[in-house]
């Protein structure tokens, strides 16, 4: 079996652990210019406070990357992959605790997997819950698949005067929409959109010369283009 399969198979927890992760799994898509800060939440549904200890396993983690875990006690130094036996994390009865994991890619794009495990004993033997975290860290100029259906819709196309542009993102983010000619020169700035999920707008191309143009949608993950034919 692969390290990935072994890691997932090891995520077997009690039916009622008392303390558990709110998230079943986390997938992070980002670039080396925006190192991921993973937020995760622990619930305590028991009637008493529970002390927990954690361990970060790295079945698939680039050797040049570094990680830093911040629990509700402290932020540990980078690449400390197990909590201190002397300082348990107390999750109060009925409370939800926010923890973070910061991954420093050092400009190395790659994919990876880490698994955060929590225990209720300092010997790390009684597992309460496990959380697999998949990391996809790309180059800044690479376009991560953040469009639903991987598409920008333009119609009519070819067109002579007005076009309709529509796209939907998988999560809300800032975008810049502009049109370039076949030499890469910006010929029209459609505008900046802040924290959008769905975009729909009309763009006037009536003053363009006949030819080939490109609509560009730029996000922090890269730029997606779609050809426009003006007749």
């Amino acid at each position: 079996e692969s390290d990935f399969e072994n890691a997932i198979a090891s995520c077997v927890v009690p039916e009622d652990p008392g303390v558990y992760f709110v998230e079943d799994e986390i997938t992070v898509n980002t670039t080396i210019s925006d190192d991921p800060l993973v937020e995760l939440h622990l619930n305590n549904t028991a009637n008493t406070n529970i002390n927990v200890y954690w361990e970060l396993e790295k079945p698939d983690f680039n050797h040049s990357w570094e990680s830093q875990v911040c629990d509700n006690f402290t932020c540990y130094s980078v690449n400390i992959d197990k909590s201190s036996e002397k300082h348990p994390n107390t999750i109060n009865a009925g409370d939800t605790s926010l923890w973070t994991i910061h991954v420093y890619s050092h400009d190395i794009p790659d994919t990876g997997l880490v698994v955060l495990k929590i225990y209720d004993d300092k010997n790390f033997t009684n597992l309460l819950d496990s959380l697999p975290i998949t990391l996809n860290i790309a180059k800044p100029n690479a376009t991560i698949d953040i469009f639903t259906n991987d598409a920008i819709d333009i119609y009519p196309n070819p067109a002579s005067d007005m076009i309709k542009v529509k796209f939907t993102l998988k999560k809300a983010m800032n975008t810049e929409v502009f049109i370039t000619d076949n030499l890469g020169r910006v010929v029209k700035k459609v505008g900046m959109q802040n924290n959008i999920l769905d975009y729909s707008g009309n763009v006037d191309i009536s003053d363009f010369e006949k030819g080939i143009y490109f609509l560009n949608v730029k996000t922090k993950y890269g730029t997606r283009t779609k050809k426009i034919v003006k007749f």
Side-chain angles (χ1 to χ4, degrees):
E1 293 183 344
S2 67
D3 290 340
F4 181 89
E5 291 170 331
N6 289 333
I8 298 300
S10 69
C11 297
V12 178
V13 300
E15 291 185 4
D16 185 13
V19 173
Y20 61 91
F21 292 110
V22 174
E23 301 84 1
D24 293 325
E25 59 181 340
I26 295 176
T27 298
V28 178
N29 296 315
T30 187
T31 70
I32 58 176
S33 61
D34 188 20
D35 283 340
L37 179 65
V38 183
E39 294 187 346
L40 48 103
H41 304 81
L42 285 85
N43 268 351
N44 181 2
T45 58
N47 295 323
T48 60
N49 299 345
I50 297 179
N51 290 336
V52 298
Y53 305 81
W54 58 264
E55 181 179 25
L56 185 67
E57 294 186 350
K58 298 176 177 177
D60 183 13
F61 195 76
N62 190 291
H63 65 86
S64 297
W65 291 357
E66 293 181 313
S67 62
Q68 182 181 31
V69 178
C70 295
D71 56 24
N72 62 348
F73 172 73
T74 187
C75 283
Y76 284 80
S77 300
V78 295
N79 289 339
I80 299 298
D81 295 335
K82 184 177 287 188
S83 62
S84 170
E85 298 176 5
K86 298 179 181 179
H87 301 291
N89 287 265
T90 302
I91 313 296
N92 294 329
D95 278 0
T96 298
S97 180
L98 171 65
W99 293 12
T100 61
I101 302 175
H102 201 148
V103 177
Y104 304 97
S105 67
H106 300 295
D107 295 334
I108 305 296
D110 204 348
T111 59
L113 172 72
V114 298
V115 180
L116 185 63
K117 297 185 175 183
I118 53 171
Y119 303 82
D120 66 1
D121 67 304
K122 62 183 179 181
N123 295 320
F124 301 92
T125 56
N126 188 29
L127 179 67
L128 296 179
D129 202 2
S130 296
L131 178 63
I133 302 169
T134 301
L135 303 165
N136 299 311
I137 304 180
K139 294 181 180 179
N141 59 351
T143 302
I144 296 175
D145 180 17
I146 50 91
F147 291 82
T148 60
N149 300 322
D150 198 32
I152 301 170
D153 291 326
I154 299 175
Y155 55 91
N157 191 16
S160 60
D161 48 18
M162 193 72 69
I163 58 173
K164 182 83 169 182
V165 177
K166 295 181 66 176
F167 59 83
T168 300
L169 305 177
K170 292 182 179 178
K171 62 179 181 178
M173 66 185 69
N174 297 342
T175 64
E176 181 181 358
V177 182
F178 56 96
I179 297 175
T180 55
D181 62 16
N182 59 2
L183 297 178
R185 297 173 297 192
V186 176
V187 295
K188 191 178 191 71
K189 293 183 178 180
V190 179
M192 297 283 295
Q193 310 293 327
N194 294 323
N195 201 37
I196 67 159
L197 186 64
D198 297 290
Y199 176 85
S200 179
N202 296 317
V203 181
D204 185 2
I205 62 169
S206 59
D207 58 344
F208 289 11
E209 298 291 335
K210 295 180 180 179
I212 303 297
Y213 298 86
F214 297 92
L215 182 99
N216 300 263
V217 179
K218 183 179 180 181
T219 72
K220 66 180 181 180
Y221 297 115
T223 302
R224 182 65 54 86
T225 63
K226 185 73 175 283
K227 184 170 70 173
I228 303 169
V229 178
K230 167 65 188 299
F231 66 86

